[in-house]
């Protein structure tokens, strides 16, 4: 299969010049310290619609002929491609229908509708939603806009790579969140054509990682489990077009845990003041997990910032737990006045912030005159957690469980 050319990506950049934002490249001191070399973030979470997807969607729709435009377009997406297609269609005066999974977040549903698309929430998972969208396209004659597996889409996404080269000409490594492979294929095609020595690394959520098996087998492999917080890169099978590009151009594909994703999200929010969704921070998680793979200077693409505020609250807590900043204890106390006050006073002396306390006298493990206290604490990190537990034990408190 012929790979997309640098000329095609440059042409896409011209088509997009008045449509997309040239997103900033932000230096990250905390990631630079972690790697031991400069790390920058390509902030596609600040793109129109909150993700890079508008780039590929607009280039794909702009290439349609009059008959295809008149028939309308249909797409399937967990949210970011949906918004990209909806806005691109609106800008070009094309009718769009977008299928989204039944559990797609409300902000993504609302945003897609606000860009002018007819939204249909159908399918338990994205692969099912994708099949329903294709059936709709076959039935109505609308043009199906694949979220990643088309050369025009790859050319649009490749403009991210062009911008990185313009903003940091001496880049050493580019790290890219990877689902179906549209973004990394386009970025790799652009970067490798100009500076073939630059390392391009893809990052997948380990609970939805189709690429390692596919690259090992030499062909796209379908996986069954795609349950991950990073729904934007939860793709069950690479495409033929993206497989050809990734297998030829990408240097390494790594996976990261759910804990690493939540830590990366918290780091971006807390230290870099950047809001990104779990899929969007996969490259940051990859840098945190595998700093040994990075040749400085490194650029991590933040691919999307569309996140439900309620989910963000849950992920902040998940990230703080993963970072050792929450501690839940069960402490057994004598059931007499002053016992609980003594425990709380001790925790105050240890600089552990009490978040919640539950007092229980109902347990088969309790002797007469004993009580269990479940207490949730905010701590300063793993070492502080260990110190709190050790000091409570040293002070004579019975800690029966910790997590």
């Amino acid at each position: 299969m012929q790979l997309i050319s640098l000329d095609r990506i440059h042409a896409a950049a011209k088509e997009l010049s008045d449509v997309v934002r040239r997103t900033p490249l932000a230096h990250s001191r905390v990631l630079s310290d972690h790697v031991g070399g400069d790390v920058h973030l390509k902030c596609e979470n600040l793109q129109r619609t909150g993700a890079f997807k508008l780039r590929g969607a607009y280039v794909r729709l702009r290439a349609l002929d009059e008959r295809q435009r008149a028939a309308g377009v249909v797409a399937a997406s967990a949210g970011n491609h949906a918004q990209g297609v909806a806005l691109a269609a609106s800008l070009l005066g094309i009718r769009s229908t977008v299928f989204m999974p039944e559990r797609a977040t409300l902000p993504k549903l609302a945003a897609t509708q606000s860009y002018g698309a007819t939204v249909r929430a159908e399918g338990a998972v994205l692969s099912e939603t994708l099949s329903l969208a294709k059936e709709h396209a076959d039935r109505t004659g609308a043009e199906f806009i694949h979220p990643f597996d088309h050369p025009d889409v790859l050319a649009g996404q490749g403009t991210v790579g062009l911008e990185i080269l313009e903003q940091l000409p001496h880049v050493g490594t580019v790290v890219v969140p990877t689902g179906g492979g549209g973004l990394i294929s386009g970025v790799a095609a652009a970067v490798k054509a100009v500076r073939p020595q630059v390392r391009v690394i893809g990052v997948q959520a380990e609970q939805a990682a189709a690429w390692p098996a596919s690259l090992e087998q030499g062909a796209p492999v379908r996986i069954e489990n795609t349950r991950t917080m990073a729904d934007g890169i939860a793709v069950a099978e690479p495409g033929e077009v993206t497989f050809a590009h990734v297998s030829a151009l990408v240097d390494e594909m790594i996976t990261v845990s759910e804990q690493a994703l939540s830590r990366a999200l918290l780091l971006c929010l807390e230290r870099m003041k950047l809001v990104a969704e779990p899929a969007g921070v996969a490259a940051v998680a990859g840098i945190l997990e595998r700093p040994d793979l990075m040749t400085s200077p490194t650029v991590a693409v933040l691919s999307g910032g569309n996140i439900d505020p309620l989910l963000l609250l849950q992920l902040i807590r998940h990230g703080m737990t993963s970072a050792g900043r929450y501690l839940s204890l069960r402490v057994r106390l004598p059931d007499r006045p002053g016992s609980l006050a003594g425990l709380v006073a001790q925790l105050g002396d240890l600089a552990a912030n009490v978040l919640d306390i539950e007092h229980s006298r109902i347990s088969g493990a309790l002797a007469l005159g004993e009580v269990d206290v479940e207490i949730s604490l905010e701590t300063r990190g793993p070492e502080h957690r260990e110190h709190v537990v050790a000091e409570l034990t040293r002070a004579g408190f019975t800690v029966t469980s910790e997590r």
Side-chain angles (χ1 to χ4, degrees), residues 38 111 174 209:
D38 282 341
V174 180

Side-chain angles (χ1 to χ4, degrees), residues 52-130:
F52 69 93
K53 289 287 192 175
L54 174 62
R55 297 174 183 264
Y58 186 87
V59 173
R60 174 78 171 93
L61 267 63
R62 194 173 185 274
L64 299 178
D65 60 31
E66 289 186 14
R67 180 192 60 80
Q68 291 170 317
R69 292 188 182 202
V73 297
V74 60
S77 166
N80 292 334
H81 178 60
Q83 293 175 64
V85 169
L87 179 55
S90 178
L91 292 172
L92 293 166
I94 301 172
R95 186 177 69 258
S96 63
T97 301
V98 176
F99 285 71
M100 301 179 73
E102 294 165 357
R103 295 187 178 181
T105 63
L106 291 177
K108 290 182 179 181
L109 283 164
T112 304
Q113 289 173 326
S114 75
Y115 292 127
T118 298
V119 176
R120 295 178 56 169
E122 300 181 24
V125 294
L126 184 57
S127 58
E128 185 179 337
T129 304
L130 193 64

Side-chain angles (χ1 to χ4, degrees), residues 223-240:
I223 60 172
E224 296 304 319
N225 178 33
T226 57
R227 294 185 66 85
T228 170
M229 68 174 69
D231 61 340
I233 54 173
V235 177
E237 183 178 4
E240 295 290 340

Side-chain angles (χ1 to χ4, degrees), residues 117-190:
T118 298
V119 176
R120 295 178 56 169
E122 300 181 24
V125 294
L126 184 57
S127 58
E128 185 179 337
T129 304
L130 193 64
S131 296
L132 292 168
K134 289 179 178 178
E135 290 173 8
H136 177 84
D138 292 340
R139 186 171 61 254
T140 63
E143 187 72 16
F144 178 70
I145 307 301
H146 199 283
F148 53 83
D149 207 37
H150 193 282
D152 289 341
V153 173
L154 268 59
Q157 319 307 28
T159 60
V160 175
L162 289 184
E163 289 182 15
I164 290 172
L165 291 171
E166 292 165 1
Q167 293 167 310
L168 192 69
H170 60 296
V171 61
T173 307
V174 180
V175 191
V176 186
T178 306
L183 178 60
I184 195 170
S185 294
V187 168

Side-chain angles (χ1 to χ4, degrees), residues 142-272:
E143 187 72 16
F144 178 70
I145 307 301
H146 199 283
F148 53 83
D149 207 37
H150 193 282
D152 289 341
V153 173
L154 268 59
Q157 319 307 28
T159 60
V160 175
L162 289 184
E163 289 182 15
I164 290 172
L165 291 171
E166 292 165 1
Q167 293 167 310
L168 192 69
H170 60 296
V171 61
T173 307
V174 180
V175 191
V176 186
T178 306
L183 178 60
I184 195 170
S185 294
V187 168
V191 169
K192 292 288 189 178
V194 178
R195 296 194 65 221
Q197 71 272 31
V198 175
R199 287 175 54 77
V200 179
I201 299 173
V203 184
Q204 288 212 285
E206 66 181 22
Q207 293 188 191
W211 277 103
S214 297
L215 292 170
E216 184 178 347
Q217 293 294 322
V221 171
R222 185 177 185 81
I223 60 172
E224 296 304 319
N225 178 33
T226 57
R227 294 185 66 85
T228 170
M229 68 174 69
D231 61 340
I233 54 173
V235 177
E237 183 178 4
E240 295 290 340
V241 177
T242 55
F243 182 83
H245 286 76
V246 170
S247 59
L249 300 173
V250 173
D251 295 283
E252 189 136 10
M253 189 70 69
I254 63 176
T255 63
V256 292
S257 67
E258 300 294 284
Q259 289 74 22
L261 288 166
S262 63
R263 287 197 300 271
L265 185 147
L266 182 62
L267 181 72
C268 288
L269 183 66
E270 190 173 33
R271 300 295 300 275
M272 296 171 244

